[in-house]
Amino acid sequence: MYKAKEKKDSNKNGYKKYKVIPVMIILLIAIIIIATAVGAVYVPLLDTAKIIIKNLGIYNFTSISESQNSIIFLVRLPRVIVAVLVGAALAVSGAVMQGMFRNPMADPGILGVSSGAGLGAVTAIGLGLASRSIYFMPLFATIGALLAAWIVFILASSGKKIPVLTLILSGIAVSTFLGAITSLILSKISEYQVKEYLFWSVGGLSSRRWEHVNMVAIPIIICIILLISFARDLNVLLLGEEEAQSVGLNPSKTRKQLLFLVSVTTAMAVSVSGSISFAGLIVPHIMRLIVGPDNRLLLPASALAGAIFLVGCDIIARVVIMPAEIGVGIVTSLLGAPYFLYLLNKSRKEGVAI
């Protein structure tokens, strides 16, 4: 009798957790409309929704101002979509890293992706390519990020295994080295180019256009879907090496595949947004507290929460000193750093190894 009741309660709790997904989808749609409406020129929420619906081809509203249509669809909406893609990418990548290493402090930054992207970006600026086309900086940032992750991966590999400590230390070493090269290049370029790099490095979504969306949307969406498809394997990895092998899973091969996908996903994200700190750390940790450790639910929930979080931070970045704005990376750092210290203190009190 007690077992039946326990099973019933467990099913009820599981059902409640899965209700989080549709609620978050509704929240995401709502915050996209709010973020698109807010700005130096405010457009009413209903008009904003009508403009988005019209441009999606769902319904042709006739009573829409052409100037408002241009502001919403050509200026603000692409920026918000980039925020959605970047937030989802970083949060899912963080959730995978935390699950893979069984550590709430893990995030994509330990792969050296951000430092590699920074070197790629400053190289494009230093060569004068960034001023010729909007595609060069994201392209070079992506190449730099993937090269950095590949170097870290090669240095950390020990036969068929990838020791966690070695991976972290390799990431720190490579990041420091690439950071030194970036600083050297910055010392040799013009003041204007330095300002251009600094604006990119603090993480910003200003002037993001549909070209940026088209550049990263398909790769990020594909990578997120692939990472979510590994949810069951990630659950098995949480049980340990022997348990994973007993069910026919190759832990080393799976980790390499996951690290590759995380590297590509993060590289594509930071290539259009610059360095966005803590999004890949605090979002999956909070979602794990809400929906539990099952990656079949945690990964899609983290994607939605990451999108909501970054769009929300971008709203703050735009309105806090309006009509000017600050980098969204500054907002995520201001929110994320205290939470990181809270996690660190909590882990210390509980005697959990970091």
Side-chain angles (χ1 to χ4, degrees), residues 29 64 111 159 179 182 210 338:
I29 294 171
I64 291 177
L111 295 174
T182 300
W210 285 113

Side-chain angles (χ1 to χ4, degrees), residues 11-56:
N11 291 337
K12 189 176 180 181
N13 290 332
Y15 175 72
K16 285 182 178 179
K17 288 179 180 179
Y18 275 97
K19 286 173 67 177
V20 169
I21 299 294
V23 170
M24 292 180 70
I25 292 173
I26 294 170
L27 285 175
L28 178 58
I29 294 171
I31 201 168
I32 285 173
I33 294 172
I34 293 169
T36 312
V38 170
V41 177
Y42 175 73
V43 179
L45 293 177
L46 183 58
D47 291 343
T48 301
K50 286 181 178 179
I51 291 169
I52 295 173
I53 290 170
K54 178 184 177 181
N55 283 281
L56 289 175

Side-chain angles (χ1 to χ4, degrees), residues 273-316:
S273 67
S275 179
I276 305 290
S277 303
F278 294 108
L281 189 148
I282 64 174
V283 172
H285 186 268
I286 291 173
M287 293 314 300
R288 189 175 284 104
L289 296 176
I290 295 172
V291 303
D294 187 349
N295 287 285
R296 292 172 297 178
L297 179 58
L298 176 62
L299 296 187
S302 294
L304 291 168
I308 294 169
F309 172 74
L310 197 58
V311 173
C313 288
D314 189 45
I315 293 174
I316 296 172

Side-chain angles (χ1 to χ4, degrees), residues 19-310:
K19 286 173 67 177
V20 169
I21 299 294
V23 170
M24 292 180 70
I25 292 173
I26 294 170
L27 285 175
L28 178 58
I29 294 171
I31 201 168
I32 285 173
I33 294 172
I34 293 169
T36 312
V38 170
V41 177
Y42 175 73
V43 179
L45 293 177
L46 183 58
D47 291 343
T48 301
K50 286 181 178 179
I51 291 169
I52 295 173
I53 290 170
K54 178 184 177 181
N55 283 281
L56 289 175
I58 298 173
Y59 185 83
N60 186 20
F61 292 98
T62 55
S63 59
I64 291 177
S65 164
E66 193 60 39
S67 61
Q68 286 185 343
N69 185 73
S70 298
I71 291 171
I72 295 299
F73 189 71
L74 298 179
V75 178
R76 293 183 187 166
L77 187 58
R79 172 180 181 147
V80 173
I81 298 300
V82 169
V84 168
L85 292 168
V86 172
L90 294 177
V92 170
S93 298
V96 170
M97 294 291 286
Q98 290 173 13
M100 205 165 27
F101 298 131
R102 288 180 281 185
N103 192 319
M105 300 297 179
D107 84 332
I110 66 175
L111 295 174
V113 172
S114 295
S115 57
L119 178 58
V122 78
T123 301
I125 293 170
L127 294 174
L129 298 174
S131 58
R132 295 183 186 179
S133 171
I134 64 169
Y135 293 104
F136 278 115
M137 192 187 295
L139 176 63
F140 273 65
T142 302
I143 293 171
L146 292 177
L147 280 175
W150 179 74
I151 293 170
V152 171
F153 178 76
I154 293 297
L155 292 174
S157 296
S158 177
K160 293 184 177 181
K161 295 184 178 181
I162 306 174
V164 177
L165 182 59
T166 307
L167 183 74
I168 294 172
L169 294 176
S170 299
I172 293 172
V174 170
S175 295
T176 304
F177 179 73
L178 296 181
I181 298 177
T182 300
S183 298
L184 179 63
I185 296 173
L186 286 172
S187 67
K188 300 297 181 182
I189 59 179
S190 68
E191 184 179 347
Y192 172 78
Q193 290 175 318
V194 171
K195 288 181 179 179
E196 188 177 0
Y197 170 76
L198 290 176
F199 179 79
W200 179 89
S201 66
V202 297
L205 299 170
S206 179
S207 302
R208 294 301 173 261
R209 301 188 295 213
W210 285 113
E211 290 91 333
H212 295 95
V213 176
N214 295 334
M215 193 187 311
V216 299
I218 293 176
I220 285 179
I221 291 170
I222 290 174
C223 286
I224 288 176
I225 291 172
L226 290 173
L227 285 171
I228 292 174
S229 71
F230 274 89
R232 178 187 169 278
D233 293 342
L234 200 54
N235 284 342
V236 174
L237 285 177
L238 290 172
L239 301 175
E241 297 279 332
E242 294 182 2
E243 288 79 0
Q245 290 174 351
S246 67
V247 297
L249 183 70
N250 185 329
S252 177
K253 182 181 178 181
T254 302
R255 284 197 180 94
K256 289 178 181 179
Q257 291 171 336
L258 287 170
L259 284 172
F260 172 76
L261 287 173
V262 165
S263 300
V264 175
T265 308
T266 308
M268 296 307 301
V270 300
S271 70
V272 291
S273 67
S275 179
I276 305 290
S277 303
F278 294 108
L281 189 148
I282 64 174
V283 172
H285 186 268
I286 291 173
M287 293 314 300
R288 189 175 284 104
L289 296 176
I290 295 172
V291 303
D294 187 349
N295 287 285
R296 292 172 297 178
L297 179 58
L298 176 62
L299 296 187
S302 294
L304 291 168
I308 294 169
F309 172 74
L310 197 58

